[in-house]
Every structure is written in structure tokens, then in C-alpha cells.
Amino acid sequence: SLNTARTSHTATLLPNGLVLAAGGFGVSGDLASAELYDPASGTWTATGSLNAAHNFHTATLLPNGLGLVAAGTGVSGTIATAELYDPANGSWTVTGSLNVARQEHTATLLPNGMVLVAGGGPFNASPTAELYNPASGTWIFTGNLNTGREQHTANLLPNGMVLVAGGFGPVGGILASAELYDPASGTWAAAGSLNRARRFHTATL
């Protein structure tokens, strides 16, 4: 069992084979704690805590081996802050904040090493998207989605494009629409719609 009960957290497989569980919501409220799972022993051990609590956030393993936690909900509501986890020393460092506070968004590592964050809530599903540059630690806007959405999925396809599907829309409806992001142009194009509208689903390449 984990040391701390949590929901709405993230789990990231690290290059050393350990799994990092970070943030979430627990019996005491929003969590800043993090812990590591060791498959060899089947045990969890505490690691450094985030600088701020995050839940409904995203976690992305970067090519340099660091883990990027972005946005979500904190003690003050929806947040735009981001942090980097260093597996070498178990510490968290604050990096540049997103331009838009968001939760229930997606984060996708692109072939060029940048991270695409798309959509998110909390109240009016956002159509905005932005890119994180690990080299500079900064975020820049990229093209807006055609439909604002949260609680959707995002998959990097073999052709380098990102498929976003379903989710919850800005007018309070569950979405069947899907769209494709082209990193070369920074634009989104409509893709075929799902047969059923859905949110909180999964998508597997």
C-alpha cells in the first residue's frame, strides 16, 4: 500500500524503474507529498514533497529524465504553477508557470522534446493550448483547439501528430468530437468523431 491514500494524483515511470506517485487529494485535502514504488521490493517510500499541492494535474517524463508536473488544483483553486522532479536527489524545483491556470487537461511529450498542454477546466472548458520548452523552462501559446474541452484524452501518433478525443465541452456537454494537432504548424484540424460521446475515458495507441 501507498504511505498516503490519494486520488486525482499522477503516476510516472522513471528511467530508474521506480514509479513516482505525486500529489492528489487525500483525507487531509490537497496533497503536496510524493512517493516512489520499487517493483523489486513491492514497497513505497516517501520522496521529496512538491513546493505546492497539485491534484487533477499532469505529469510528463522529459527526455532529460526530469518529471514535469503542470497545473491542476491547489489549496487556492485552479493553478498555473509547474514543477520539476529530479530522481537523482528526490527534489522538486519550481519552473515557469503556464499562461493559463487549468485542471483536467492533457500533457503530451512531442518528438521535438517540448510538452503540449491542451484544454482543461474548471468551469468553461478551455480551447487554449501551450508548449513547455525544457531548455528555457518557459511556456508559449500555440494554436487553439477548435472546441474547448476538459477530461479528454491525447495520444501522440506515429506520424508526430497528437490526437485529442472526447471530453467535456464549454457548454456543459459530453463531446464525441476529435481533432489533430500538427506540431509543424501549431494548428488543430477536425478528425472523425467518436461513435459515442464520452469523458474520463482512456485511449491507447
Side-chain angles (χ1 to χ4, degrees):
S1 294
L2 291 87
N3 294 289
T4 302
R6 60 186 78 223
T7 185
S8 309
H9 55 288
T10 53
T12 308
L13 179 63
L14 302 177
N16 60 11
L18 302 181
V19 178
L20 171 69
F25 190 82
V27 293
S28 61
D30 299 294
L31 299 174
S33 65
E35 44 191 305
L36 294 168
Y37 177 74
D38 184 348
S41 62
T43 58
W44 294 86
T45 57
T47 187
S49 291
L50 293 99
N51 293 280
H54 291 254
N55 71 85
F56 289 121
H57 54 287
T58 54
T60 309
L61 182 65
L62 303 178
N64 60 10
L66 302 182
L68 172 69
V69 158
T73 302
V75 293
S76 60
T78 307
I79 55 178
T81 57
E83 312 189 24
L84 294 169
Y85 177 77
D86 187 347
N89 56 24
S91 64
W92 295 88
T93 304
V94 173
T95 187
S97 291
L98 292 84
N99 294 288
V100 175
R102 60 185 84 222
Q103 65 182 54
E104 298 179 326
H105 51 286
T106 54
T108 310
L109 180 65
L110 301 178
N112 61 9
M114 303 187 84
V115 178
L116 170 70
V117 160
F123 304 113
N124 293 312
S126 176
T128 63
E130 41 191 308
L131 295 167
Y132 177 74
N133 185 344
S136 62
T138 58
W139 297 85
I140 57 170
F141 280 118
T142 186
N144 281 0
L145 293 95
N146 294 289
T147 302
R149 63 186 77 221
E150 58 185 309
Q151 304 160 3
H152 52 286
T153 54
N155 292 79
L156 179 66
L157 303 180
N159 62 6
M161 293 191 173
V162 178
L163 172 68
V164 159
F168 197 74
V171 293
I174 302 174
L175 301 172
S177 63
E179 37 192 309
L180 289 167
Y181 176 76
D182 184 349
S185 62
T187 58
W188 296 86
S193 292
L194 292 88
N195 293 287
R196 292 182 182 272
R198 61 188 74 220
R199 61 173 175 161
F200 290 127
H201 52 286
T202 58
T204 308
L205 181 65

